[in-house]
Amino acid sequence: EIASCLVGSEMCIRDRVYMIIDCHTHSQNSSDADNDTVIERCERAAQLGLAAMAVTDHCEVNRYFEKARYKIDYEQKYDEYGFKKSFENSMAEISSAKELYSGKVNLICGVELGQPLSDIETAENILSDTRLDFVIGSMHELPGHDDFAFLDYSHENIPNLLEEYFNEIYKMCKWGKFDVLGHLTYALRYIQGEQNIKVDMKPYEEIIRQILKTIIQNGCGIEINTSGLYQKYGKTFPDFKYIKLYRELGGEIITVGSDCHSTRNLANGIKEGIDLASQAGFKSCLLYTSPSPRDKRQS
């Protein structure tokens, strides 16, 4: 079931009457997040009057098992493995909170699935979990590389890196067994935002166009990730140009998420994200309120 963000008979973004829905958040079950429990997140969501909130903890498919299972032949700064345990903990904690806050908080059980093509069998096994309502497909690192958050870009061939990055996203989108594509321009958070290296995006415009067309063809959506608004980058992921292009190509499914890793940033930037959606021509934002069709993910 897909529910649009409505206020009475009016779309919430048309007259700036907001129902705030945060579709990308992380709890203590994400290793890079603060030690906030799902219960604490629900309490804050209730205080803020959120219409809905998805908890989407990280599940990195290429790191799902313990490190000994993988043959790592390059130096890593990011050395976190065993996401199977954190995924199970997240599913259990969200499911328990759903029951506890029934009628108080519209809590969506989600996951941010990283690098699913690294192990498709494991990825599809994760997706078969009937507790899942919502899946974000993400690309945080490339084969043979560290996570983008840990790379020293003064020693990287950035044009080649970005070309590989968008091509890997394109492959993931052709697979397409997720609900929305997370933070399309994630790499820029670190290249431009953290390390202040200017990037010419023109060489990647055609592959980005193909990514967006593929998402549309597969019935998937994109998220407007607002985390860049409260980070050094200063823009959403993706920024307005690509949100508008997605709409012009016929895209209809968007979600808006803060990607908060701390309760204090819950719903941060969501209103601004909705404004961008409105400017791009969207009349509603979406949320997944019950499990998405398993045949799309499994077939």
Side-chain angles (χ1 to χ4, degrees):
E1 177 187 353
I2 300 177
S4 57
C5 177
L6 302 174
V7 179
S9 61
E10 298 296 322
M11 295 294 182
C12 69
I13 61 178
R14 191 168 80 184
D15 295 321
R16 303 298 189 270
V17 179
Y18 296 104
M19 290 180 68
I20 300 301
I21 299 169
D22 194 337
C23 289
H24 189 156
T25 75
H26 295 276
S27 77
Q28 64 178 353
N29 296 304
S30 291
S31 59
D32 58 348
D34 288 353
N35 292 323
D36 300 329
T37 66
V38 176
I39 293 296
E40 289 172 320
R41 192 59 52 75
C42 287
E43 285 292 324
R44 182 58 177 159
Q47 291 172 3
L48 292 172
L50 298 195
M53 175 184 68
V55 175
T56 52
D57 284 311
H58 289 295
C59 187
E60 306 298 289
V61 177
N62 61 316
R63 298 167 177 269
Y64 190 66
F65 302 102
E66 297 301 327
K67 187 176 181 179
R69 181 183 177 108
Y70 304 98
K71 295 180 180 179
I72 307 299
D73 57 3
Y74 56 95
E75 185 178 346
Q76 290 180 296
K77 293 181 181 177
Y78 181 43
D79 204 36
E80 187 79 23
Y81 287 87
F83 277 84
K84 179 177 182 179
K85 182 178 180 181
S86 57
F87 174 71
E88 284 297 330
N89 289 343
S90 182
M91 292 297 99
E93 193 173 342
I94 298 169
S95 298
S96 176
K98 257 190 168 185
E99 184 175 349
L100 184 63
Y101 281 83
S102 178
K104 301 175 184 177
V105 174
N106 184 358
L107 180 59
I108 299 162
C109 184
V111 67
E112 183 176 9
L113 195 69
Q115 299 75 246
L117 298 192
S118 65
D119 184 344
I120 291 176
E121 182 179 356
T122 294
E124 295 188 357
N125 182 58
I126 293 165
L127 296 178
S128 70
D129 194 308
T130 57
R131 293 170 292 186
L132 276 173
D133 300 318
F134 176 53
V135 177
I136 299 172
S138 290
M139 185 68 60
H140 296 125
E141 61 184 285
L142 297 173
H145 291 76
D146 232 325
D147 187 295
F148 281 96
F150 293 88
L151 295 178
D152 179 354
Y153 294 98
S154 66
H155 294 91
E156 295 287 343
N157 185 320
I158 293 174
N160 288 352
L161 193 72
L162 286 174
E163 183 177 1
E164 184 180 357
Y165 171 68
F166 288 117
N167 274 288
E168 286 295 317
I169 291 177
Y170 179 49
K171 293 175 190 176
M172 184 177 74
C173 291
K174 287 198 291 184
W175 174 70
K177 296 181 183 180
F178 52 84
D179 296 314
V180 299
L181 174 64
H183 45 48
L184 170 60
T185 51
Y186 169 79
L188 299 183
R189 174 185 290 170
Y190 304 102
I191 300 172
Q192 289 194 170
E194 294 297 326
Q195 299 193 24
N196 200 30
I197 299 172
K198 188 174 180 179
V199 174
D200 179 6
M201 292 295 289
K202 289 180 182 177
Y204 319 108
E205 300 215 335
E206 182 54 35
I207 186 64
I208 291 174
R209 179 180 290 269
Q210 292 306 315
I211 287 169
L212 297 177
K213 284 183 176 180
T214 301
I215 288 170
I216 294 165
Q217 290 167 1
N218 286 341
C220 303
I222 67 168
E223 75 161 357
I224 300 174
N225 185 304
T226 66
S227 63
L229 296 176
Y230 56 90
Q231 296 167 346
K232 293 179 181 179
Y233 184 62
K235 295 182 284 187
T236 56
F237 304 105
D239 64 18
F240 178 73
K241 176 179 180 178
Y242 299 115
I243 298 168
K244 190 170 186 291
L245 176 60
Y246 171 67
R247 183 71 190 103
E248 289 171 347
L249 292 171
E252 297 180 344
I253 300 173
I254 57 167
T255 61
V256 184
S258 69
D259 199 354
C260 70
H261 286 61
S262 171
T263 296
R264 69 178 178 274
N265 284 323
L266 181 62
N268 200 335
I270 297 297
K271 288 184 178 181
E272 292 87 345
I274 293 173
D275 278 339
L276 290 179
S278 178
Q279 292 168 34
F282 289 94
K283 295 183 178 179
S284 63
C285 300
L286 305 184
L287 68 152
Y288 291 76
T289 58
S290 62
S292 302
R294 297 293 148 178
D295 57 347
K296 184 185 81 170
R297 294 182 184 164
Q298 301 289 323
S299 62

